[in-house]
Amino acid sequence: MKANFKILPLNHMEFSGIFELSDLELEKIGAIKMTVDKFPGFPCRISLEDAEIGEEVILLPYKHHKTDSPYQASGAIFIRKRTNTPIFKNNEIPKMLNHRLLSLRGYDENGIMKETAVIEGNLLKEQIFKFFENEKIEYIHIHNARPGCYNCLVERA
């Protein structure tokens, strides 16, 4: 039996007020404002959509794997102005992930990596089902394979 899953973007409340910071304040936290100049190419981790050309985004460091294991990790992410975080249905794949080469990392309850895969985005749903066949996999992180940047979290539904 296939285990249902849910894709979870980052919560917009975590970034409340960041777009009001000055360039100098952003620089102090290792972040920069940018204007989108190509589409696709600036994937927002809150909306899980590609930002539109001309839109303002912030590129910032983000600790995406907060664990006490050796696999704790952080990296650069883009965020755009957004009023709320979308809620995806069970087994729903955001369109943004369909056209990317993706890296999946499956972790156990202790934050230890148990499975990995690199796939084309159009194969994502099947790969998530396959990972969750392993009962030790508690959650999955999806990254863009080429730049390695974190996209989102997948949990069992």
Side-chain angles (χ1 to χ4, degrees):
M1 183 172 90
K2 291 182 180 179
N4 289 322
F5 65 85
K6 196 158 197 86
I7 291 187
L8 303 171
L10 298 180
N11 188 319
H12 65 279
M13 294 303 293
E14 192 172 346
F15 306 97
S16 179
I18 197 164
F19 278 90
E20 284 72 47
L21 297 178
S22 69
D23 289 344
L24 184 58
E25 291 169 315
L26 287 171
E27 185 179 317
K28 287 179 183 177
I29 61 169
I32 57 172
K33 284 184 185 171
M34 301 174 75
T35 301
V36 174
D37 60 0
K38 66 179 179 177
F39 182 88
F42 293 75
C44 175
R45 292 356 186 262
I46 295 171
S47 64
L48 294 185
E49 297 173 340
D50 285 295
E52 298 289 333
I53 292 175
E55 200 173 339
E56 184 179 66
V57 295
I58 294 180
L59 178 63
L60 70 150
Y62 183 76
K63 187 168 184 171
H64 59 268
H65 198 210
K66 300 170 187 155
T67 178
D68 291 330
S69 86
Y71 289 100
Q72 57 187 289
S74 63
I77 61 166
F78 288 107
I79 60 169
R80 64 201 285 214
K81 289 182 183 177
R82 189 82 177 166
T83 57
N84 59 2
T85 301
I87 297 173
F88 295 98
K89 297 175 188 167
N90 286 354
N91 306 330
E92 181 181 1
I93 304 292
K95 182 180 173 183
M96 178 188 93
L97 300 174
N98 289 335
H99 60 271
R100 288 184 158 80
L101 183 64
L102 301 173
S103 168
L104 279 68
R105 302 166 190 179
Y107 297 93
D108 69 10
E109 64 185 9
N110 298 312
I112 301 296
M113 192 181 305
K114 294 295 183 185
E115 291 203 36
T116 63
V118 175
I119 59 158
E120 293 293 337
N122 60 344
L123 303 174
L124 180 57
K125 185 180 284 191
E126 292 77 20
Q127 190 66 50
I128 292 171
F129 285 139
K130 184 176 178 184
F131 268 38
F132 282 145
E133 287 175 5
N134 179 343
E135 292 180 11
K136 291 182 180 178
I137 303 292
E138 288 291 318
Y139 58 95
I140 301 165
H141 281 186
I142 300 174
H143 294 250
N144 292 326
R146 287 187 179 97
C149 300
Y150 173 80
N151 272 317
C152 56
L153 172 69
V154 185
E155 292 182 341
R156 292 175 187 270

